[in-house]
């Protein structure tokens, strides 16, 4: 098997200009409908990020059937269990398939959809090259071990990004994308009530802010979901049965507190003292991320359904 292309050098601008010239317009129109109907900007972006971070931008995260019923798939890994948006990718794929059957990869659709959703939400526009192919396998263990956790220290976080070719500045820019989306109260529960096992809150949190956060995250409601600018990844307190889909028992809050952005749109509150620089850096690093370790040419395949490999 040929090696993956780390920098996307085999990708092209407007790859489908002959085989499916309307592909990017279909994706953009579908994302626009999804955005204005649901206002869930973060869904497609975080699915794309989690997919690219593990073995590259190959739509491996979308697989639910890799031909081996005894193996776990990437979507089941704990860091991915609270991701939402796979169904939105399926809807976009269906529209593209109606126009151009078996031509446009799920990996390209996801990369384009992530870009368009960020732009619709007020974020910077960045070019997306195309020509990706879809993975033939899923990577459960890698996703379980290598997606950054909300409680990772800076050393581990930088290390995980560095393994994928991102320097410290690029890592900081990507982390800034977490000004959109929602997280579980579990991510901050210990800081609010039992910091480092002391039975007390984190002393670095201002008291007025602590009070507001505790109102939204009471100690007896650990599955409450709030809006914030952090990772929208996984609940660490108690793993759930990943073989049965459900709504994870989560309810939603409008905001963590009045001092925190609602997470409904892309803004610069994460780096509000340097917003314009952040937007430029973010656009550059998203282009780099979208090109990470892609499959091209005769590698992989173009799936007809994003959740299943095409049988040979």
């Amino acid at each position: 098997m040929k090696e993956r292309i780390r920098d996307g050098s085999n990708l092209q601008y407007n790859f489908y200009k002959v085989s499916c010239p309307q592909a990017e317009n279909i994706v953009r129109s579908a994302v626009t409908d999804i955005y204005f109907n649901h206002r869930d900007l973060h869904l497609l972006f975080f699915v794309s990020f989690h997919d690219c971070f593990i073995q590259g931008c190959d739509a491996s995260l979308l697989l639910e059937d890799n031909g081996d019923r005894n193996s776990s798939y990437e979507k089941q890994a704990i860091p991915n269990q609270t991701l939402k948006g796979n169904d939105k990718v399926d809807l976009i794929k269906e529209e593209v398939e109606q126009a151009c059957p078996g031509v446009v990869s799920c990996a390209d659709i996801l990369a384009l959809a992530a870009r368009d959703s960020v732009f619709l939400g007020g974020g910077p526009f960045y070019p997306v090259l195309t020509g990706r192919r879809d993975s033939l396998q899923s990577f459960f263990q890698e996703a379980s071990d290598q997606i950054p956790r909300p409680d990772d220290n800076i050393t581990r976080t930088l290390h995980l990004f560095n393994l994928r070719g991102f320097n410290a500045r690029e890592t900081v820019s990507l982390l800034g994308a977490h000004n959109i989306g929602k997280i579980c109260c579990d991510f901050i529960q210990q800081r609010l009530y039992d910091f480092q096992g002391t039975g007390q809150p984190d002393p670095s949190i201002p008291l007025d802010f602590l009070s507001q956060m505790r109102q939204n995250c009471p100690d007896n409601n650990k599955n409450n979901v709030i809006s914030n600018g952090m990772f929208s990844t996984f609940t660490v307190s108690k793993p759930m049965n990943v073989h049965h889909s459900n709504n994870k028992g989560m309810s939603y809050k409008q905001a963590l507190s009045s001092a925190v952005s609602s997470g409904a749109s892309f803004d610069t509150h994460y780096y509000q003292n340097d917003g314009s620089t952040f937007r430029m850096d973010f656009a550059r690093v998203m282009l780099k991320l979208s090109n990470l370790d892609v499959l091209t040419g005769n590698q992989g395949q173009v799936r007809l359904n994003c959740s299943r490999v095409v049988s040979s």
Side-chain angles (χ1 to χ4, degrees):
M1 179 178 178
K2 295 181 180 179
E3 292 186 1
R4 292 167 179 257
I5 307 299
R6 164 132 296 192
D7 62 358
S9 57
N10 280 15
L11 298 177
Q12 302 175 24
Y13 178 74
N14 203 8
F15 178 81
Y16 300 105
K17 64 183 177 181
V18 174
S19 59
C20 189
Q22 66 271 53
E24 295 195 24
N25 285 335
I26 293 173
V27 173
R28 186 176 300 112
S29 177
V31 171
T32 301
D33 289 343
I34 292 168
Y35 177 68
F36 286 107
N37 287 334
H38 302 281
R39 293 285 176 175
D40 286 330
L41 163 68
H42 64 290
L43 299 181
L44 296 170
F45 169 79
F46 283 119
V47 172
S48 177
F49 174 85
H50 281 228
D51 177 59
C52 291
F53 208 80
I54 301 301
Q55 299 295 318
C57 304
D58 59 4
S60 59
L61 174 59
L62 303 178
L63 281 173
E64 293 183 359
D65 179 6
N66 57 10
D68 184 356
R69 294 184 177 182
N70 296 319
S71 66
S72 298
Y73 45 87
E74 202 169 320
K75 193 185 296 185
Q76 294 174 319
I78 289 178
N80 294 330
Q81 286 179 11
T82 58
L83 284 178
K84 299 180 180 181
N86 293 342
D87 59 327
K88 306 298 188 295
V89 180
D90 291 338
L91 291 174
I92 301 170
K93 174 65 170 174
E94 289 176 8
E95 291 193 31
V96 175
E97 282 295 304
Q98 289 177 10
C100 309
V103 174
V104 183
S105 69
C106 297
D108 274 342
I109 288 173
L110 183 53
L112 291 166
R115 186 272 309 279
D116 293 341
S117 65
V118 168
F119 183 67
L120 278 170
F125 181 87
Y126 56 92
V128 171
L129 304 178
T130 44
R132 296 167 190 77
R133 303 269 288 181
D134 298 326
S135 175
L136 296 171
Q137 65 184 110
S138 194
F139 304 96
F140 170 80
Q141 196 58 53
E142 291 86 345
S144 299
D145 297 339
Q146 297 177 26
I147 291 178
R149 298 165 55 103
D151 56 352
D152 279 345
N153 60 37
I154 187 62
T155 301
R156 175 167 170 76
T157 298
L158 289 173
H159 173 68
L160 289 172
F161 278 86
N162 183 257
L163 289 175
R164 290 152 178 85
F166 297 100
N167 61 32
R169 180 173 183 137
E170 292 168 332
T171 300
V172 169
S173 296
L174 280 174
L175 291 177
H178 302 124
N179 64 58
I180 56 175
K182 300 177 181 181
I183 67 165
C184 299
C185 284
D186 279 0
F187 294 155
I188 59 171
Q189 205 80 26
Q190 289 186 338
R191 293 190 66 195
L192 300 183
Y193 298 98
D194 188 23
F195 183 63
Q196 297 182 346
T198 62
Q200 300 296 319
D202 183 344
S204 69
I205 302 176
L207 292 180
D208 57 342
F209 191 50
L210 174 66
S211 176
Q212 292 184 65
M213 288 192 291
R214 281 183 162 183
Q215 289 178 21
N216 283 332
C217 293
D219 198 18
N220 60 354
N221 187 12
K222 295 187 177 182
N223 276 333
N224 200 15
V225 174
I226 54 179
S227 180
N228 188 10
M230 293 288 288
F231 270 102
S232 179
T233 51
F234 61 99
T235 304
V236 297
S237 61
K238 48 184 180 182
M240 58 197 77
N241 187 339
V242 297
H243 296 283
H244 298 281
S245 61
N246 54 48
N247 63 6
K248 314 289 189 294
M250 297 177 180
S251 60
Y252 282 84
K253 290 282 187 181
Q254 277 302 105
L256 174 61
S257 83
S258 59
V260 176
S261 168
S262 69
S265 62
F266 189 103
D267 56 35
T268 58
H269 80 269
Y270 208 79
Y271 300 125
Q272 57 186 339
N273 293 330
D274 208 359
S276 59
T277 300
F278 162 58
R279 289 176 66 88
M280 289 187 293
D281 283 0
F282 180 76
R284 293 190 189 101
V285 77
M286 281 304 300
L287 172 59
K288 181 175 179 176
L289 176 69
S290 69
N291 294 342
L292 183 64
D293 292 340
V294 295
L295 300 172
T296 60
N298 60 2
Q299 297 174 312
Q301 63 179 200
V302 174
R303 295 184 211 137
L304 304 180
N305 180 313
C306 290
S307 65
R308 296 194 301 271
V309 296
V310 178
S311 301
S312 56

